[in-house]
Amino acid sequence: MSKKTIMLCCVAGMSTSLLVNKMKKAADAAGIEVNIFATSVSGFDEEINSKKIDCVLLGPQVSYMENELRDKLGNQDIPLRVISMADYGMMNGQKVLKEAVELMQ
Amino acid sequence: MTHKGIWQQFIDHFTRISIKIGNQIHLRSLRDAFAMVMPLFILAGLGVLINNVFFPLFLKSTTLINFQTFGNLIVNGTLNIAGLIIAPVIGYCLARNRHYKNPLGAAIVSLAGLIVVMPTTLQALPVAGKHTVEITGFLSYSNIGVTGMFAGIIVGLVASELFIKLSKIEKIKINLGENVPPAVSDSFLTLIPTIAVIALLAIISAILFVGFHTDLIKLITTIIQEPLRKVNTSLPGFLLIYTVGNLLFGFGIHQAVINGTLLDPVLLINTNKNMQAFASGEHVPYIITSVFRDTFGMMGGTGSTICLLVATFMFSRIKPSREVAKLSIVPGIFNINEPVIYGYPIVFNIPLLIPFVLTPVISLLIAYAATVLGFMNRTVVLVPWTTPPLINGFLATGGDWRAVVVQLISFTVGVLFYIPFMKISEQVILRQQKN
């Protein structure tokens, strides 16, 4: 199985990058090989078109864009989920990573 | 109907309407376009800072003027072509949001369209002269720069929208047959829409020039830009829109949905005009600018939550709250506060929603009063919104230490204001735990 890529997305890609760091630590600790990165909603198109992405997670502050971004994924089989407010606030990298891994299975 | 039912209904309606506004395609394209060009304006801020604050520290008279050429050139490449840059970028963003496959085509039409509506003759003041003369064959910074920003936005949106619409009409596509290479026939696809859009703008402009001795830039500026800017950047208009945006964040949706569309464009025009005036040593026109809002109205992020963090460190007896505060303090210094908003949580937490929405209003009023009373300088430099509080106040006002004092006062008031509501919030949590 090739290395999977998870993309996190929020308004400016700033606060999701905090969560990315926590998720990377959790992945290292659990021995999971995975690429994780953060971007802004305006950078969404470019990333989707230029990289092979296996899972998209949205910050709760951009949950209102869920449908629109899902449309942009078209018929590609890429799971997209909004991170829960509680996990996002507590920057619970371990739990968010676990859910992402489940989504990609 | 129960009381809670009404509250829930309010939240649902409010959120739905806000999202509808924020997702409106032209407003969304506007927001995307501003995000794309923002680095240039931050660069302009840096140029202004070096030219007007740093160089004068150790240089004088002619040497100073010679050195300042550096910053003036940066201003030429940023603020002075703000309208020229925004037009194609917004055309590009609109095309992208409409899933149109040739966004660059839309950008080109927008740019060409903007130039078409420019006046053909200008009144100019010669370097050594006293009287203005009429010149032709030039574009002026005042039309393609900050003053022309709104015209750039409108022309960019109209031109690209028309272009996209026309491109989708099958009947006017030029079909060259199957033997022609696709790349060649693609270049013809957009030919008629391009001609039609540019021709239409040219006809309108020609009628305005010849028949009415005016131009589209002037009309857009006086009829649309200035009234809108005056309402949205007046003290009550500004505070009202900003508060609505912040309230939305209290319900979990990012405030940029409202503020990025209704407030940021006009506030940024104010910031840019201030920067330009400061750079050329003229009177700085505005108190309320985008950087004024960022510096005094969102210390530690939306809702000035750094005040809540400090209040928590001082007085909180609840362990999870203190944990969140510890987790949030470092990002908070850089004005990133999603951990506080979702983790504390502030979202849907009525006692904390009150200071979350009102602390920025109080801070902004303090800063506004301080500026009006002449206690501190107006904001003249665009600093990135991630610049930590106190440093951003100093830089934004062109190195005025009194702005830092104003920030410290606002911060102290903010902490005091957050404390009672934080206590109420903790009471609620403790009571819930007991039950």
Side-chain angles (χ1 to χ4, degrees):
Chain A
M1 200 175 77
S2 65
K3 202 169 173 181
K4 300 268 188 174
T5 302
I6 304 170
M7 176 168 93
L8 275 71
C9 206
C10 68
V11 176
M14 297 273 184
S15 65
T16 35
S17 65
L18 281 173
L19 186 58
V20 164
N21 284 342
K22 301 265 179 184
M23 289 171 72
K24 279 184 177 164
K25 267 189 201 150
D28 283 345
I32 301 170
E33 285 232 349
V34 63
N35 290 319
I36 312 170
F37 72 99
T39 187
S40 63
V41 280
S42 52
F44 184 88
D45 294 33
E46 214 179 303
E47 299 292 349
I48 286 292
N49 292 331
S50 64
K51 290 192 182 113
K52 193 193 163 298
I53 285 153
D54 299 287
C55 175
V56 180
L57 298 175
L58 303 182
Q61 67 273 44
V62 292
S63 60
Y64 67 96
M65 293 187 80
E66 186 183 354
N67 289 334
E68 190 201 324
L69 296 179
R70 188 165 279 147
D71 282 348
K72 285 186 177 175
L73 291 176
N75 44 18
Q76 302 177 75
D77 188 22
I78 303 172
L80 181 147
R81 177 78 60 87
V82 179
I83 303 163
S84 87
M85 288 188 185
D87 291 341
Y88 199 76
M90 299 309 291
M91 291 282 147
N92 193 338
Q94 204 182 348
K95 192 163 163 223
V96 176
L97 177 71
K98 192 172 151 246
E99 284 174 0
V101 170
E102 281 165 11
L103 277 176
M104 289 188 293
Q105 271 165 4
Chain B
M1 194 183 290
T2 62
H3 181 68
K4 204 172 181 184
I6 294 169
W7 174 239
Q8 193 55 48
Q9 271 193 344
F10 165 73
I11 294 178
D12 290 347
H13 276 289
F14 177 72
T15 314
R16 208 177 48 237
I17 292 166
S18 304
I19 289 171
K20 212 170 230 175
I21 295 171
N23 261 348
Q24 199 281 336
I25 194 155
H26 300 105
L27 291 176
R28 187 152 47 94
S29 306
L30 183 63
R31 199 167 60 217
D32 292 348
F34 271 82
M36 224 178 250
V37 299
M38 197 48 98
L40 273 183
F41 298 138
I42 290 171
L43 173 67
L46 194 68
V48 170
L49 207 57
I50 290 173
N51 245 23
N52 300 65
V53 180
F54 181 66
F55 283 158
L57 290 179
F58 53 92
L59 295 170
K60 271 198 202 89
S61 63
T62 335
T63 333
L64 177 63
I65 292 170
N66 287 340
F67 268 81
Q68 282 179 332
T69 309
F70 168 74
N72 293 341
L73 292 175
I74 290 182
V75 170
N76 281 352
T78 53
L79 296 177
N80 283 344
I81 53 164
L84 198 62
I85 287 175
I86 201 81
V89 171
I90 202 162
Y92 180 88
C93 290
L94 180 68
R96 213 178 53 175
N97 285 336
R98 284 227 182 277
H99 305 293
Y100 179 68
K101 66 175 174 15
N102 182 10
L104 208 53
I108 293 167
V109 174
S110 302
L111 180 58
L114 182 66
I115 301 298
V116 164
V117 304
M118 291 285 163
T120 48
T121 55
L122 296 167
Q123 298 291 322
L125 191 67
V127 174
K130 281 181 186 144
H131 303 286
T132 55
V133 289
E134 198 159 85
I135 55 167
T136 63
F138 294 90
L139 293 172
S140 79
Y141 284 147
S142 69
N143 282 334
I144 61 173
V146 173
T147 317
M149 252 176 108
F150 219 81
I153 292 167
I154 302 272
V155 173
L157 280 176
V158 170
S160 54
E161 185 73 298
L162 269 174
F163 173 74
I164 296 165
K165 285 246 157 72
L166 292 174
S167 300
K168 285 182 177 161
I169 302 173
E170 288 296 326
K171 273 186 193 163
I172 57 168
K173 275 182 189 164
I174 297 178
N175 200 335
L176 297 177
E178 288 189 1
N179 292 329
V180 179
V184 175
S185 62
D186 273 357
S187 72
F188 279 92
L189 275 182
T190 54
L191 201 57
I192 290 180
T194 308
I195 294 170
V197 173
I198 299 301
L200 179 69
L201 286 172
I203 292 168
I204 296 171
S205 297
I207 293 171
L208 289 175
F209 293 154
V210 180
F212 300 92
H213 300 288
T214 184
D215 57 84
L216 212 52
I217 305 279
K218 214 181 274 168
L219 287 182
I220 291 173
T221 309
T222 48
I223 297 174
I224 307 175
Q225 171 179 325
E226 283 311 291
L228 195 68
R229 198 188 52 74
K230 273 183 188 146
V231 172
N232 290 17
T233 69
S234 67
L235 187 62
F238 160 67
L239 287 179
L240 180 73
I241 299 172
Y242 189 49
T243 302
V244 169
N246 286 354
L247 185 61
L248 187 68
F249 214 164
F251 303 145
I253 306 291
H254 201 283
Q255 44 94 356
V257 173
I258 291 289
N259 293 333
T261 50
L262 298 183
L263 217 47
D264 286 0
V266 277
L267 283 182
L268 190 66
I269 291 175
N270 281 8
T271 307
N272 283 346
K273 280 193 177 170
N274 276 9
M275 272 205 275
Q276 206 172 34
F278 185 64
S280 51
E282 290 161 20
H283 170 71
V284 176
Y286 305 114
I287 295 177
I288 296 172
T289 67
S290 62
V291 68
F292 176 81
R293 189 256 330 260
D294 295 349
T295 307
F296 299 99
M298 45 185 295
M299 285 186 281
T302 309
S304 300
T305 48
I306 203 140
C307 301
L308 173 64
L309 297 184
V310 171
T312 304
F313 286 133
M314 288 163 70
F315 296 107
S316 175
R317 290 202 205 113
I318 292 185
K319 203 169 167 237
S321 298
R322 299 183 70 95
E323 293 288 320
V324 177
K326 259 186 232 160
L327 178 82
S328 309
I329 189 74
V330 176
I333 288 170
F334 298 94
N335 305 315
I336 293 165
N337 64 343
E338 276 82 357
V340 200
I341 291 177
Y342 294 111
Y344 201 92
I346 292 171
V347 282
F348 300 109
N349 183 347
I350 298 167
L352 280 180
L353 278 180
I354 297 165
F356 181 74
V357 168
L358 291 182
T359 309
V361 174
I362 297 169
S363 303
L364 288 166
L365 283 174
I366 292 172
Y368 189 88
T371 318
V372 172
L373 295 173
F375 180 74
M376 81 177 183
N377 291 345
R378 298 182 177 198
T379 49
V380 289
V381 174
L382 179 63
V383 288
W385 63 268
T386 43
T387 311
L390 306 185
I391 298 174
N392 62 6
F394 183 73
L395 294 178
T397 48
D400 184 1
W401 59 269
R402 294 170 305 175
V404 181
V405 176
V406 173
Q407 280 189 303
L408 282 170
I409 295 169
S410 297
F411 167 74
T412 313
V413 174
V415 173
L416 293 174
F417 190 61
Y418 259 109
I419 289 171
F421 294 100
M422 184 197 81
K423 288 273 176 199
I424 298 170
S425 167
E426 298 206 329
Q427 292 283 320
V428 175
I429 293 170
L430 287 175
R431 209 169 297 164
Q432 279 168 348
Q433 278 174 350
K434 261 184 203 164
N435 292 341

